[in-house]
Each structure stands twice: as C-alpha cells, then as structure tokens.
Amino acid sequence: MATVATTIGLQLNYKKSTLPSSPFLGRKLQIKYPFQSMQERMISNLKVSVVCAGGTEMVVDLVNNLFLGVGVGLPCTVMECGDIIYRSTLPRSNELTITAPGVILALGALSYLWATPGVAPGFWDMFVLAFVERLFRPTFKKDDFVLGKKLGEGAFGVVYRVSLAEKPGLKEGDLVLKKATEYGAVEIWMNERVRRACASSCADFMYGFLENSSKKGGEYWLVWRFEGEATLQDLMLSKEFPYNVEKMILGKIQDEPKGIARENRIIQTIMGQLLFALDGLHSTGIVHRDIKPQNIIFSEGSCTFKIIDLGAAADLRVGINYIPKEFLLDPRYAAPEQYIMSTQTPSAPSAPVATALSPVLWQLNLPDRFDIYSTGLIYLQMAFPSLRTDSGLIQFNRQLKRCGYDLIEWRKTVEPRASTELRKGFELLDLDGGIGWELLTSMIRYKARKRTSAKAALAHPYFDKEGLLALSVMQKLRLQYFRTTQQDYSEAAKWVIGFMAKSGTEKDGGFTEAQLQDFREIEPKKKGNPQRNALASALRLQRKIGKTLNQSIDELNQQRKSLWWSRWIPREE
C-alpha cells in the first residue's frame, strides 16, 4: 500500500450541465482501508472533496486519475456510497486462474522446447537414454567376429562383411564391421543417436567399441546389421538406370512402356525416400555434411534407400563434431558456402548450454540447407545421365559457378546446344507443368536461406502422386503466387533491359535522353514502407541476438571444464 505524506485539499467547480448526475457528484468521498490503524497512521490528513453545481462524467475521470496519481492504489470497483474496494481486501481463490497472457507464455515456452532440433527431446536423449543405453549395452571384441569380404574403403574407414565367431549358424554377411581410421568415437555417437531418434533414416546400427592394442593403440570398430551392398552410385552407373531399381523400390514392373513418364515415377520415389531420411536426421539436429550417391545404400529388407557413413556428421543439438572453421565434405557435392554455419559462430559450449541454445542457432544459420544442396545435385544426376560421372559433375559445377549458381541461367546457356541426353533430362523435369524443375531450383540456390528444407520439399506438389504429403489450400495458393510473380518479374526485367539496350541508338523505341536523366535523378526514399521497416528491424534484432549469443558462448568456453555429463560422450583418445 502506497503512503501519502501530505494533506491534499481539492475543490473542483464546474458549471451546471444537463448530463445525468454521477454517484460521485455532490458527495464526500471517504476512503476506508482494511486496517484502520494503518489508515490513521498513513493518511489521516487526506481529505478530498468534490463539490459541483451540476455533474459531468469528466469528474469521475478526474477523481480516478487523482487516486492513481497520489498512489492510493488500483481499485476493483466503487460502491454506491463512494467507498473503494481494493483487490487486497478481497478473498483470494485457491483455484488456478487461466489468463490469455499466461496461455500465450506457456505455448511459447512449449514451442521453444520442441522446436528443431528440440530442447526437451535433447535433454531426455542426452541425460537419460544415452546414459542408460551405455550402462546396459553388451561388450564386444574384435576376436568375436570373423572377417569376410571387404566391401569398401573410404576416407573414414574400411568396411567388411563379417559373422559372429560364436554363432556359426549365422551366414557370412549377416553383419557389417567397420574399422574407423578417423572420427571413430564421433561416428559411434552419431549412429547411436540415429538409432534412438530416427532409426529408419540410416542403416541398422548395433554397437560400437574401442579395441586397445599395445602395437596400434586404440581402434574404434562399428557393427551394423547387413542390409545390402548396392549404393545409389552403383545403381546410377548402370546403363539400365532407373529401370534397374524399379522392382526394388516399387515391388513390381510398371505396365506402361519405357519412357520419361515411367522414369520420372521411379526417380520421384527415390527422391521421396532420400528426403524422408534427411528430414529424420535434420529433425534431431544432425547435419550429414557428406550427402552423395556413395553414401546412400539400398536396404533389401525395407526396400528403401538409407543414409550411411556419419563420420563427417555434426550433432548441432549438443555441439558434437562441430568446429566453426572445419569442413568435412566432398567438393563435388558441397554447397557454395562450404560451412554449415557461419565461421563467426563460436565453438560449442557444454552440452546443457548447447542444447538450450540449439533452436536459436539453428534458426539463425539453417545448417540443414547444406545437405539439401547436395541432394539437389543427386536429383540432377538422376535426370541427366551425362552428369553421373565425376568429370561430368565437375564440369557442371564449373558452369554453374560461372552462371552465379543460377540454375535458370545455366539452362539458358546449355539448352540451345544441348545433346540428346540433356534434352531428355529437361523433358523429364518439365513434366506436369515443370513441377520437377521447380523443385530442383528450390534446392540448388546460392544462398542457403533461400533453399527449401527437407520437410518443405516433401510437401511439394512434385510428390503428390506418390501420396507422401498432401498440400493444404494455403500451400497451393503460395505456390501459384510464386509462379505468377516469378513470371511477372522475368517479363518486366526483359522489358527494361530491351529498352535500355535501344537507348542511345538509332533503333526505334528505347528511353530518351530526358527519360534517362530522370532515372539518374531518382533519389531513394528516406523512409521505407512499413514492411521494409519491419524487415530491417527484424534483421537488426537477429544480428544483435547472434552477437550476444556469440559473446556469451565465448565466455562459457573460457570457463569450460570436464563435467560429469561428458563421461559417457565418446571422444577421441
């Protein structure tokens, strides 16, 4: 309760009015408090008199403002006698009161906790599931396996088909064993995370273990269930692609004759499965960073394509295997930016802090768009047979770079002199009104923020016939608006360029010297429209938030110590 130390006397005189009188008019307002002793001690000299010959409603407002100004308090209501009833004197309810601000605050907190890559699921996975799993998982040694055929060798290890030595009933090839030459501990962590969060996205991982040797030191070994050895690269290099995978993924041979419509249906299915797997990874905060046909394997059991080789992946939910200025990628399939996040982003802090801040950093950088660019290149290779070889892809990358990473400009450059294979690829992408080409251009763009996400790509009309996700009415309206505005801007640009080209020449048309001078004298508006001002404010706020987060994380990194939760996080020895 506020106190008033001075005596206030107020005499208000107004002329007579024809308006109806108020209960306040012509009466002396007596202020009563719930504690009489406090009233006598604090405001015993306070006297407020309102004397009016006639009444107006303005007097009520003046009296109310007076009470608020001197700090008497906010009344709940005023009785007919003029007494003020305060909220502090009313009986308090023990029931939970639901208010609009409280509901908005609760929904905002819940949406943040479950926003990509997920704060609440991250804490549950990191501090409960991972801990329990490592307590009860079985132990293996290298001697428990009988090495078989060597399946392949990459930058991060050697892969073998194996069987368990103690179970001779298992046939060779029931398991896959990988000796990790680099990033072994990280790859174990990534595969365990995928097994807990999105098992259908990647190969069926079993266990990973560290084998200590006196001669070679520690070696990391990873074990998967054998699902198949045919990669998308192997299948694409066949002259029969995509018909060689038709029965594998669709379960039967289509009745229609061979042609671009039949090929398009097969490629649609492959792209849908690949984007579905990527969406599972990205939803849990994992960015693969090395998406290419060699790292996509066909699972014979589920009849789907799955992602393998997580040695270069970064877990951005807790910051494992993420170093700002380090990039692990294949230059043939890498996005132009080469880094999944800005190099100004500091190294990851401790796991709880990184998990709590992960939705903010994810939205500021959109690191999943790096994998989307690589997926778009795979889509290109499936549509254009000449791009399936290393030399063809390297040449395409050079051409696209010269065109400013503008796929539409690249098409204008190569289509007039295109070979039969290139023309066939353009025809395939132009089916159904060019909806495949539209999806491709949304994936291959120079700026990462302008690329589509895996989830948005799955909702694209390109996949409507496959029944993956149905478009809502608003999505269809936005798609039509995009098509219309894109065409309008293109026509307007051609019109302006044509007129500018004719200016100063003897050809008819074009801008006159006076019109050109008017263009030169045009000054930018000092004040933008509300939309531009709001966008500029949002960008300034984004930069300020990013700068503040960077400074805070840098301070946390300086004070970082080995804490208890890091004991079950795999680290390189």
Side-chain angles (χ1 to χ4, degrees):
M1 182 71 68
T3 61
V4 180
T6 58
T7 303
I8 299 176
L10 180 64
Q11 193 80 11
L12 299 176
N13 294 285
Y14 285 88
K15 293 182 179 181
K16 187 174 181 180
S17 173
T18 58
L19 296 175
S21 60
S22 168
F24 277 154
L25 302 181
R27 301 188 183 190
K28 182 176 180 180
L29 299 182
Q30 297 180 354
I31 304 173
K32 295 183 180 181
Y33 289 85
F35 304 101
Q36 187 65 27
S37 59
M38 184 179 296
Q39 174 192 6
E40 294 174 355
R41 184 172 63 255
M42 297 172 57
I43 52 172
S44 58
N45 294 327
L46 177 62
K47 297 179 180 179
V48 181
S49 300
V50 181
V51 180
C52 299
T56 64
E57 293 299 326
M58 185 181 293
V59 177
V60 179
D61 294 333
L62 288 173
V63 173
N64 182 55
N65 292 336
L66 173 64
F67 282 125
L68 297 178
V70 300
V72 173
L74 291 173
C76 275
T77 186
V78 177
M79 299 180 67
E80 292 184 359
C81 63
D83 294 344
I84 299 175
I85 301 176
Y86 289 88
R87 286 185 171 88
S88 59
T89 64
L90 296 175
R92 296 183 179 181
S93 175
N94 295 327
E95 298 180 358
L96 179 64
T97 302
I98 300 177
T99 61
V103 172
I104 294 173
L105 184 61
L107 291 176
L110 286 175
S111 62
Y112 180 83
L113 291 176
W114 291 94
T116 305
V119 177
F123 273 95
W124 173 256
D125 180 88
M126 181 75 182
F127 303 112
V128 179
L129 296 182
F131 178 71
V132 173
E133 188 178 68
R134 287 186 171 271
L135 284 178
F136 296 100
R137 69 175 184 175
T139 58
F140 281 96
K141 297 183 298 181
K142 179 185 174 183
D143 296 337
D144 295 335
F145 302 95
V146 178
L147 296 182
K149 178 184 176 182
K150 181 178 178 180
L151 297 177
E153 183 175 0
F156 302 108
V158 186
V159 182
Y160 302 92
R161 293 176 64 174
V162 299
S163 59
L164 287 173
E166 297 181 357
K167 296 182 179 181
L170 291 176
K171 298 180 181 179
E172 180 186 355
D174 285 345
L175 299 176
V176 175
L177 182 66
K178 177 179 179 179
K179 176 186 176 183
T181 57
E182 195 174 1
Y183 301 102
V186 167
E187 192 168 1
I188 292 175
W189 167 263
M190 297 297 170
N191 281 279
E192 289 178 345
R193 276 269 283 111
V194 169
R195 182 179 60 193
R196 295 191 297 266
C198 50
S200 60
S201 296
C202 298
D204 188 5
F205 182 72
M206 294 180 60
Y207 307 104
F209 58 93
L210 176 64
E211 182 82 5
N212 292 313
S213 174
S214 58
K215 296 181 180 180
K216 300 181 181 180
E219 294 178 342
Y220 286 96
W221 295 82
L222 295 86
V223 185
W224 291 268
R225 297 189 187 278
F226 179 79
E227 296 191 66
E229 56 180 297
T231 65
L232 183 58
Q233 174 73 5
D234 300 331
L235 297 170
M236 283 200 310
L237 290 178
S238 172
K239 294 181 179 180
E240 296 298 321
F241 185 84
Y243 301 108
N244 57 340
V245 298
E246 183 176 23
K247 188 175 181 180
M248 297 167 61
I249 59 177
L250 298 178
K252 62 179 181 179
I253 303 296
Q254 300 178 75
D255 296 333
E256 57 185 312
K258 289 186 177 181
I260 57 173
R262 182 173 168 184
E263 293 178 10
N264 185 53
R265 178 174 175 80
I266 301 171
I267 293 175
Q268 275 182 332
T269 307
I270 297 174
M271 282 296 298
Q273 293 179 358
L274 180 54
L275 287 169
F276 182 81
L278 271 180
D279 181 45
L281 285 178
H282 296 163
S283 298
T284 61
I286 295 178
V287 181
H288 190 276
R289 294 198 292 186
D290 196 20
I291 293 293
K292 55 186 178 182
Q294 294 91 326
N295 289 336
I296 301 171
I297 193 171
F298 181 76
S299 173
E300 298 173 358
S302 61
C303 296
T304 58
F305 284 95
K306 294 186 176 182
I307 300 172
I308 60 173
D309 199 353
L310 302 177
D315 187 350
L316 299 180
R317 178 186 281 174
V318 292
I320 292 179
N321 204 31
Y322 170 66
I323 301 175
K325 295 185 179 181
E326 180 183 58
F327 58 94
L328 305 171
L329 48 85
D330 189 325
R332 298 170 299 173
Y333 295 90
E337 63 270 19
Q338 294 190 338
Y339 299 94
I340 57 174
M341 291 201 294
S342 170
T343 55
Q344 303 300 320
T345 306
S347 298
S350 58
V353 177
T355 305
L357 296 177
S358 58
V360 178
L361 293 177
W362 188 278
Q363 292 301 322
L364 288 176
N365 296 277
L366 298 179
D368 57 315
R369 305 304 198 266
F370 187 93
D371 290 342
I372 293 297
Y373 186 93
S374 305
T375 309
L377 292 181
I378 296 175
Y379 186 19
L380 260 176
Q381 287 185 302
M382 289 191 291
F384 298 97
S386 60
L387 302 183
R388 296 170 190 169
T389 61
D390 291 344
S391 59
L393 183 59
I394 292 172
Q395 183 181 1
F396 164 78
N397 287 328
R398 290 174 181 171
Q399 293 173 349
L400 189 63
K401 186 177 182 180
R402 285 196 296 266
C403 296
Y405 293 94
D406 187 344
L407 207 58
I408 298 176
E409 185 65 27
W410 170 80
R411 179 171 182 171
K412 292 178 181 179
T413 303
V414 302
E415 194 169 18
R417 50 186 176 83
S419 61
T420 306
E421 287 186 344
L422 279 178
R423 291 185 182 277
K424 182 180 177 181
F426 286 127
E427 290 177 7
L428 185 146
L429 294 172
D430 289 338
L431 290 175
D432 299 325
I435 206 165
W437 174 257
E438 187 177 285
L439 174 64
L440 180 64
T441 54
S442 69
M443 299 172 72
I444 300 181
R445 291 181 176 175
Y446 180 72
K447 291 186 177 181
R449 188 163 290 275
K450 291 186 177 181
R451 297 175 205 145
T452 186
S453 64
K455 194 180 296 295
L458 284 172
H460 194 274
Y462 177 74
F463 296 107
D464 271 1
K465 292 184 178 180
E466 299 302 314
L468 292 174
L469 286 174
L471 278 180
S472 64
V473 175
M474 292 304 298
Q475 286 173 322
K476 292 180 180 178
L477 290 175
R478 283 195 295 268
L479 180 62
Q480 294 299 328
Y481 175 76
F482 169 78
R483 291 172 176 169
T484 305
T485 54
Q486 187 181 41
Q487 184 177 2
D488 292 344
Y489 292 154
S490 176
E491 294 298 326
K494 290 179 181 178
W495 179 81
V496 173
I497 292 172
F499 269 78
M500 294 296 288
K502 295 178 182 179
S503 300
T505 66
E506 297 180 356
K507 296 181 179 180
D508 295 334
F511 297 109
T512 64
E513 290 296 330
Q515 290 173 329
L516 290 174
Q517 184 62 29
D518 292 339
F519 278 121
R520 297 188 189 100
E521 294 176 357
I522 291 177
E523 296 181 358
K525 296 180 180 179
K526 294 183 179 179
K527 294 183 178 180
N529 55 41
Q531 291 82 1
R532 289 182 63 86
N533 292 336
L535 178 60
S537 301
L539 292 175
R540 284 195 297 269
L541 178 61
Q542 176 182 336
R543 287 193 294 267
K544 187 174 181 181
I545 292 174
K547 184 178 180 181
T548 304
L549 287 173
N550 292 344
Q551 293 174 352
S552 302
I553 295 175
D554 286 338
E555 293 176 0
L556 288 169
N557 282 333
Q558 294 175 0
Q559 303 175 359
R560 187 175 181 179
K561 297 180 181 180
S562 178
L563 301 174
W564 61 271
W565 56 73
S566 63
R567 295 177 183 176
W568 62 85
I569 300 177
R571 301 186 185 279
E572 299 289 349
E573 297 294 335

